[in-house]
Amino acid sequence: MTISLQARRGAATDAAKTALAWSHTARFLTTATKLDQLPATELPEIAFVGRSNAGKSTAINRLAQQKRLAFASRTPGRTQNINLFEVGPKDAPNALFADLPGYGYAAVERAAKLRWQEVMADYLVLRRGLHGVVLMIDSRLGFTPLDLRLLALLAPRLANGEVRLLALLTKSDKLNRSETQAAVRAAQDVLGDVSTDNADIGVTAFSALSRLGLGDVAQALHSWTHQA
């Protein structure tokens, strides 16, 4: 049976609507300064990570269709803890979003930086329920040395298929079409260095302002958690 292009587009639109309706249910659960303060749970978790000014909290808020679910400040580096959000029905949540401390902001006190980095590293390496990572990359800058260090940290769990990765090229509304395509290709080249047969790694252009890629991101996260 041949499926028309129109039918495929309609199915994709329906899938995006379902995924966005799911992500819109996100609600605050708890915050923690250390890994052992997080609740023990069997729910699949998706962690949002990235440089302090890459638009991490703004992306979470856009996915949740809430203005201040994740604290988005004009001053980078304000997220200092791991913040967990439940997703799915209130009486039976089926996933967790984890907003991790941003990294790389120079004005933050060095001791605080080290503490945040240790907390984030512990979470990414040790958290048993971690099912996927959304890595925020400023589309205008590409992968920085700190982003590459984070990739190296995740590489073992990516290689065996234990954790999935989606690189989100944020602020893509500030680029034209050819620049966006070039940014995606450059990111794919970087991610190719950590890709294996078992790795589930993707990249997409994203803009919280224009909603570019919003449906695609929601679908990816929805599929990750509902296949868990």
Short mmCIF file of all heavy atoms in Angstrom, two decimals, residues 143-177:
data_model
loop_
_atom_site.label_atom_id
_atom_site.label_comp_id
_atom_site.label_asym_id
_atom_site.label_seq_id
_atom_site.Cartn_x
_atom_site.Cartn_y
_atom_site.Cartn_z
N PHE A 143 30.50 23.78 18.95
CA PHE A 143 31.02 23.09 20.13
C PHE A 143 32.27 23.78 20.66
O PHE A 143 33.23 23.99 19.92
CB PHE A 143 31.34 21.63 19.79
CG PHE A 143 30.15 20.74 19.71
CD1 PHE A 143 29.36 20.71 18.57
CD2 PHE A 143 29.80 19.92 20.78
CE1 PHE A 143 28.25 19.89 18.49
CE2 PHE A 143 28.69 19.10 20.71
CZ PHE A 143 27.91 19.08 19.56
N THR A 144 32.25 24.13 21.93
CA THR A 144 33.41 24.72 22.59
C THR A 144 34.22 23.61 23.27
O THR A 144 33.75 22.48 23.39
CB THR A 144 32.96 25.75 23.64
OG1 THR A 144 32.30 25.03 24.71
CG2 THR A 144 32.00 26.77 23.05
N PRO A 145 35.44 23.92 23.73
CA PRO A 145 36.21 22.90 24.45
C PRO A 145 35.47 22.30 25.64
O PRO A 145 35.59 21.10 25.91
CB PRO A 145 37.46 23.67 24.88
CG PRO A 145 37.64 24.71 23.81
CD PRO A 145 36.25 25.13 23.45
N LEU A 146 34.68 23.10 26.35
CA LEU A 146 33.93 22.57 27.48
C LEU A 146 32.84 21.61 27.02
O LEU A 146 32.58 20.59 27.67
CB LEU A 146 33.30 23.72 28.28
CG LEU A 146 34.25 24.53 29.16
CD1 LEU A 146 33.52 25.72 29.77
CD2 LEU A 146 34.86 23.66 30.25
N ASP A 147 32.20 21.91 25.89
CA ASP A 147 31.19 21.00 25.34
C ASP A 147 31.83 19.67 24.94
O ASP A 147 31.25 18.60 25.13
CB ASP A 147 30.51 21.62 24.12
CG ASP A 147 29.78 22.90 24.43
OD1 ASP A 147 29.14 22.97 25.50
OD2 ASP A 147 29.86 23.86 23.63
N LEU A 148 33.03 19.74 24.38
CA LEU A 148 33.73 18.52 23.96
C LEU A 148 34.12 17.68 25.18
O LEU A 148 34.09 16.45 25.13
CB LEU A 148 34.97 18.88 23.15
CG LEU A 148 34.70 19.58 21.81
CD1 LEU A 148 36.01 19.96 21.14
CD2 LEU A 148 33.88 18.68 20.90
N ARG A 149 34.47 18.35 26.28
CA ARG A 149 34.78 17.61 27.51
C ARG A 149 33.54 16.90 28.03
O ARG A 149 33.63 15.76 28.51
CB ARG A 149 35.33 18.58 28.57
CG ARG A 149 36.75 19.04 28.30
CD ARG A 149 37.19 20.09 29.28
NE ARG A 149 37.16 19.63 30.66
CZ ARG A 149 37.41 20.40 31.71
NH1 ARG A 149 37.71 21.68 31.53
NH2 ARG A 149 37.38 19.90 32.93
N LEU A 150 32.40 17.54 27.92
CA LEU A 150 31.16 16.89 28.36
C LEU A 150 30.85 15.69 27.48
O LEU A 150 30.42 14.64 27.97
CB LEU A 150 30.01 17.89 28.34
CG LEU A 150 28.71 17.36 28.95
CD1 LEU A 150 28.03 18.43 29.79
CD2 LEU A 150 27.76 16.88 27.87
N LEU A 151 31.06 15.83 26.17
CA LEU A 151 30.86 14.71 25.26
C LEU A 151 31.75 13.53 25.64
O LEU A 151 31.31 12.37 25.62
CB LEU A 151 31.15 15.13 23.82
CG LEU A 151 30.01 15.73 23.00
CD1 LEU A 151 30.52 16.07 21.60
CD2 LEU A 151 28.82 14.80 22.93
N ALA A 152 33.00 13.82 25.96
CA ALA A 152 33.92 12.76 26.35
C ALA A 152 33.46 12.07 27.62
O ALA A 152 33.60 10.84 27.78
CB ALA A 152 35.33 13.34 26.55
N LEU A 153 32.87 12.85 28.54
CA LEU A 153 32.34 12.28 29.78
C LEU A 153 31.20 11.31 29.49
O LEU A 153 31.08 10.26 30.11
CB LEU A 153 31.86 13.43 30.67
CG LEU A 153 31.41 13.08 32.09
CD1 LEU A 153 32.60 12.70 32.95
CD2 LEU A 153 30.70 14.28 32.71
N LEU A 154 30.37 11.66 28.52
CA LEU A 154 29.21 10.84 28.18
C LEU A 154 29.53 9.67 27.26
O LEU A 154 28.73 8.74 27.14
CB LEU A 154 28.15 11.71 27.49
CG LEU A 154 27.27 12.60 28.34
CD1 LEU A 154 26.42 13.49 27.44
CD2 LEU A 154 26.36 11.75 29.23
N ALA A 155 30.68 9.74 26.60
CA ALA A 155 30.99 8.79 25.53
C ALA A 155 30.77 7.32 25.90
O ALA A 155 30.19 6.57 25.10
CB ALA A 155 32.42 9.02 25.05
N PRO A 156 31.22 6.85 27.07
CA PRO A 156 31.01 5.43 27.39
C PRO A 156 29.53 5.03 27.44
O PRO A 156 29.16 3.95 26.95
CB PRO A 156 31.67 5.27 28.77
CG PRO A 156 32.69 6.36 28.82
CD PRO A 156 32.05 7.52 28.10
N ARG A 157 28.68 5.88 28.00
CA ARG A 157 27.25 5.54 28.09
C ARG A 157 26.56 5.69 26.73
O ARG A 157 25.58 5.01 26.46
CB ARG A 157 26.56 6.41 29.15
CG ARG A 157 27.15 6.24 30.54
CD ARG A 157 26.35 6.96 31.61
NE ARG A 157 25.15 6.19 31.98
CZ ARG A 157 24.32 6.55 32.97
NH1 ARG A 157 24.55 7.66 33.66
NH2 ARG A 157 23.27 5.82 33.25
N LEU A 158 27.07 6.58 25.89
CA LEU A 158 26.55 6.70 24.54
C LEU A 158 26.93 5.49 23.70
O LEU A 158 26.13 4.96 22.93
CB LEU A 158 27.08 7.97 23.86
CG LEU A 158 26.65 9.31 24.44
CD1 LEU A 158 27.41 10.44 23.75
CD2 LEU A 158 25.14 9.52 24.28
N ALA A 159 28.17 5.04 23.86
CA ALA A 159 28.70 3.97 23.03
C ALA A 159 27.94 2.66 23.20
O ALA A 159 27.75 1.92 22.23
CB ALA A 159 30.19 3.75 23.34
N ASN A 160 27.50 2.38 24.42
CA ASN A 160 26.79 1.12 24.64
C ASN A 160 25.27 1.26 24.52
O ASN A 160 24.53 0.30 24.80
CB ASN A 160 27.16 0.52 26.00
CG ASN A 160 26.77 1.40 27.17
OD1 ASN A 160 25.90 2.26 27.06
ND2 ASN A 160 27.41 1.18 28.32
N GLY A 161 24.81 2.44 24.10
CA GLY A 161 23.39 2.64 23.89
C GLY A 161 22.59 2.85 25.16
O GLY A 161 21.35 2.89 25.13
N GLU A 162 23.28 3.02 26.28
CA GLU A 162 22.60 3.21 27.56
C GLU A 162 21.92 4.56 27.64
O GLU A 162 20.85 4.70 28.25
CB GLU A 162 23.63 3.07 28.69
CG GLU A 162 23.07 3.21 30.09
CD GLU A 162 24.16 3.17 31.14
OE1 GLU A 162 25.34 2.95 30.78
OE2 GLU A 162 23.83 3.36 32.32
N VAL A 163 22.53 5.56 27.03
CA VAL A 163 22.01 6.93 27.06
C VAL A 163 21.96 7.46 25.63
O VAL A 163 22.85 7.20 24.83
CB VAL A 163 22.92 7.84 27.92
CG1 VAL A 163 22.52 9.31 27.79
CG2 VAL A 163 22.86 7.41 29.39
N ARG A 164 20.90 8.21 25.32
CA ARG A 164 20.75 8.85 24.02
C ARG A 164 21.19 10.30 24.12
O ARG A 164 21.20 10.87 25.21
CB ARG A 164 19.29 8.77 23.57
CG ARG A 164 18.79 7.35 23.36
CD ARG A 164 17.27 7.27 23.52
NE ARG A 164 16.75 5.97 23.17
CZ ARG A 164 16.78 4.90 23.95
NH1 ARG A 164 17.34 4.99 25.16
NH2 ARG A 164 16.27 3.75 23.55
N LEU A 165 21.49 10.90 22.97
CA LEU A 165 21.93 12.30 22.96
C LEU A 165 21.28 13.06 21.82
O LEU A 165 21.22 12.58 20.69
CB LEU A 165 23.45 12.37 22.81
CG LEU A 165 24.04 13.78 22.65
CD1 LEU A 165 23.96 14.54 23.98
CD2 LEU A 165 25.48 13.73 22.17
N LEU A 166 20.79 14.25 22.14
CA LEU A 166 20.30 15.18 21.13
C LEU A 166 21.01 16.51 21.33
O LEU A 166 20.89 17.13 22.39
CB LEU A 166 18.78 15.39 21.24
CG LEU A 166 18.17 16.40 20.27
CD1 LEU A 166 18.37 15.95 18.82
CD2 LEU A 166 16.69 16.62 20.57
N ALA A 167 21.78 16.92 20.33
CA ALA A 167 22.43 18.23 20.37
C ALA A 167 21.47 19.26 19.80
O ALA A 167 21.03 19.14 18.66
CB ALA A 167 23.73 18.21 19.57
N LEU A 168 21.14 20.24 20.61
CA LEU A 168 20.17 21.26 20.23
C LEU A 168 20.93 22.54 19.90
O LEU A 168 21.57 23.13 20.77
CB LEU A 168 19.22 21.51 21.41
CG LEU A 168 17.75 21.78 21.08
CD1 LEU A 168 17.17 20.62 20.31
CD2 LEU A 168 16.97 22.00 22.36
N LEU A 169 20.89 22.94 18.63
CA LEU A 169 21.59 24.16 18.20
C LEU A 169 20.68 25.35 18.46
O LEU A 169 19.84 25.71 17.64
CB LEU A 169 21.97 24.06 16.73
CG LEU A 169 22.84 22.86 16.35
CD1 LEU A 169 23.24 22.92 14.89
CD2 LEU A 169 24.07 22.76 17.24
N THR A 170 20.83 25.94 19.63
CA THR A 170 19.93 27.00 20.08
C THR A 170 20.20 28.32 19.36
O THR A 170 21.24 28.52 18.75
CB THR A 170 20.07 27.20 21.59
OG1 THR A 170 21.40 27.63 21.89
CG2 THR A 170 19.77 25.91 22.34
N LYS A 171 19.21 29.22 19.47
CA LYS A 171 19.31 30.58 18.91
C LYS A 171 19.49 30.56 17.40
O LYS A 171 20.10 31.47 16.82
CB LYS A 171 20.43 31.37 19.60
CG LYS A 171 20.32 31.36 21.13
CD LYS A 171 21.45 32.12 21.79
CE LYS A 171 21.35 32.00 23.31
NZ LYS A 171 22.42 32.73 24.01
N SER A 172 18.95 29.53 16.76
CA SER A 172 19.11 29.40 15.30
C SER A 172 18.34 30.47 14.53
O SER A 172 18.59 30.64 13.33
CB SER A 172 18.67 28.00 14.85
OG SER A 172 19.59 27.03 15.28
N ASP A 173 17.43 31.17 15.20
CA ASP A 173 16.72 32.27 14.54
C ASP A 173 17.67 33.41 14.18
O ASP A 173 17.34 34.27 13.34
CB ASP A 173 15.61 32.80 15.44
CG ASP A 173 16.13 33.26 16.80
OD1 ASP A 173 16.43 32.39 17.64
OD2 ASP A 173 16.26 34.48 17.00
N LYS A 174 18.85 33.42 14.80
CA LYS A 174 19.82 34.47 14.53
C LYS A 174 20.69 34.16 13.30
O LYS A 174 21.56 34.95 12.93
CB LYS A 174 20.70 34.70 15.75
CG LYS A 174 19.89 35.13 16.99
CD LYS A 174 20.79 35.40 18.17
CE LYS A 174 19.97 35.75 19.41
NZ LYS A 174 19.18 36.98 19.23
N LEU A 175 20.48 32.98 12.70
CA LEU A 175 21.22 32.58 11.51
C LEU A 175 20.29 32.54 10.31
O LEU A 175 19.09 32.31 10.45
CB LEU A 175 21.83 31.19 11.72
CG LEU A 175 22.74 30.96 12.93
CD1 LEU A 175 23.23 29.52 12.95
CD2 LEU A 175 23.91 31.92 12.92
N ASN A 176 20.85 32.72 9.11
CA ASN A 176 20.03 32.51 7.91
C ASN A 176 20.05 31.03 7.56
O ASN A 176 20.71 30.22 8.23
CB ASN A 176 20.53 33.37 6.75
CG ASN A 176 21.98 33.08 6.35
OD1 ASN A 176 22.42 31.94 6.39
ND2 ASN A 176 22.71 34.12 5.96
N ARG A 177 19.35 30.66 6.51
CA ARG A 177 19.18 29.24 6.21
C ARG A 177 20.52 28.55 5.93
O ARG A 177 20.78 27.46 6.45
CB ARG A 177 18.25 29.06 5.00
CG ARG A 177 18.08 27.60 4.61
CD ARG A 177 17.06 27.44 3.50
NE ARG A 177 15.72 27.79 3.96
CZ ARG A 177 14.62 27.64 3.21
NH1 ARG A 177 14.72 27.19 1.96
NH2 ARG A 177 13.44 27.96 3.70
#
